[in-house]
Amino acid sequence: MMLVGNMGFQISDELLGTFVPIILYWVYSGLYLGLGYFENYRLHSKQDEDVKNLVSKTTVVKGVILQQSIQAVVAILLFTVTADDSQAAINQRTSLMVLARQFVMAMLVLDTWQYFMHRYMHHNKFLYRHIHSQHHRLVVPYAFGALYNHPLEGLLLDTIGGALSFLLSGMSPRSSIFFFSFATIKTVDDHCGLWLPGNLFHAFFKNNTAYHDIHHQLYGSKYNFSQPFFVMWDRILGTYMPYTLEKRVEGGFEARPAKEYKDD
């Protein structure tokens, strides 16, 4: 258990692992919402965000809250079922090397699951039309729309994918607080629509805001399925579309396919 506050109020690692990523989602999105008014950082103009998207921001907020509610219920059930194993893991000293290995394993599991499920939802016309197309109503992505999905897609890609990464990596609920918080802010960053100077995600990950923005455009809908960390499966299976950044006349940048892809 973790001690919080002067009154000795205790919040379990399981509850923190469930709700800290949700809180961070809205805090981090709020930060990007403010930065979004600076046109020099945007991959699409503010006008395009308001005009091209096919769903209102109110609907997006409601959809995200629904998905997060489902995720919270599943997370609590998962932590309850694995409580004995998790407690044993907490009681053992965990080295930084073990934590690093668990994080890398969790990242690879989540990436693998989401790549193949995401790709299949694009290639299956029924699933795309009735489920995945909801996410692509955001032609111009923005931060708090990162988890705007059909509830079934949210369950299949994010919730089950997260559960698998937790179970197969062997991490404890305490470790999961940090992993899922990291995965959450990375996902928000990928959808924020901003190319910020000094962004460490852009420095360390090829799978970044511009890379995912390509996927949200019509010409890129059959490419760049990987999320949220690496581009490994896109490269291996031929669905990788590199991009170039070009300055827009009105300010900011535009992500465009690399030259060899422009005529596809």
Side-chain angles (χ1 to χ4, degrees):
M1 304 291 285
M2 187 175 293
L3 191 65
V4 178
N6 296 326
M7 301 300 294
F9 180 66
Q10 292 181 325
I11 302 178
S12 68
D13 292 331
E14 289 81 0
L15 284 178
L16 288 173
T18 299
F19 292 106
V20 167
I22 293 175
I23 295 170
L24 281 176
Y25 180 92
W26 293 106
V27 172
Y28 204 60
S29 295
L31 173 65
Y32 278 143
L33 183 64
L35 292 174
Y37 287 96
F38 295 94
E39 287 287 342
N40 287 339
Y41 299 149
R42 297 182 63 94
L43 296 180
H44 299 269
S45 70
K46 188 70 171 62
Q47 181 180 4
D48 281 348
E49 178 184 306
D50 297 332
V51 172
K52 290 185 177 181
N53 286 334
L54 307 176
V55 61
S56 70
K57 288 184 169 64
T58 300
T59 301
V60 169
V61 170
K62 291 178 180 178
V64 172
I65 290 174
L66 174 60
Q67 176 167 331
Q68 290 176 328
S69 300
I70 296 171
Q71 285 181 339
V73 171
V74 173
I76 291 171
L77 290 174
L78 178 65
F79 285 137
T80 301
V81 170
T82 61
D84 292 338
D85 293 338
S86 296
Q87 189 59 47
I90 292 174
N91 292 335
Q92 297 176 354
R93 293 178 63 88
T94 305
S95 68
L96 289 177
M97 186 65 69
V98 171
L99 286 173
R101 187 180 71 239
Q102 290 174 341
F103 266 55
V104 171
M105 174 63 73
M107 292 165 77
L108 291 173
V109 170
L110 188 59
D111 265 28
T112 299
W113 177 264
Q114 292 207 350
Y115 174 85
F116 287 101
M117 291 298 297
H118 185 194
R119 181 175 177 175
Y120 184 65
M121 285 191 174
H122 272 270
H123 286 279
N124 185 296
K125 293 181 179 180
F126 178 86
L127 290 178
Y128 184 83
R129 183 180 302 113
H130 297 284
I131 296 178
H132 188 57
S133 62
Q134 178 168 322
H135 182 68
H136 280 271
R137 293 175 187 172
L138 294 178
V139 180
V140 178
Y142 48 79
F144 66 86
L147 292 183
Y148 175 66
N149 300 306
H150 188 284
L152 182 58
E153 177 180 347
L155 179 64
L156 289 174
L157 262 73
D158 298 312
T159 307
I160 294 180
L164 287 172
S165 65
F166 172 76
L167 293 171
L168 295 178
S169 67
M171 67 175 58
S172 68
R174 185 165 300 177
S175 300
S176 77
I177 299 170
F178 299 99
F179 174 73
F180 289 118
S181 295
F182 177 64
T184 295
I185 62 175
K186 176 64 171 63
T187 300
V188 170
D189 191 86
D190 290 344
H191 289 81
C192 71
L194 302 173
W195 194 259
L196 297 168
N199 188 324
L200 293 179
F201 287 127
H202 297 168
F204 288 100
F205 292 94
K206 295 296 184 182
N207 192 335
N208 54 38
T209 310
Y211 187 82
H212 192 65
D213 184 78
I214 291 289
H215 175 74
H216 271 260
Q217 309 313 309
L218 183 61
Y219 55 75
S221 62
K222 300 297 184 183
Y223 297 90
N224 295 7
F225 297 113
S226 294
Q227 54 185 35
F229 300 112
F230 309 117
V231 300
M232 174 182 67
W233 288 113
D234 277 320
R235 286 186 179 274
I236 292 173
L237 297 176
T239 54
Y240 176 73
M241 179 181 280
Y243 64 86
T244 59
L245 284 174
E246 300 178 10
K247 287 194 173 184
R248 291 187 284 111
V249 175
E250 64 271 30
F253 300 92
E254 181 176 359
R256 292 179 174 273
K259 184 177 181 180
E260 61 269 28
Y261 287 86
K262 288 185 177 180
D263 294 327
D264 283 7

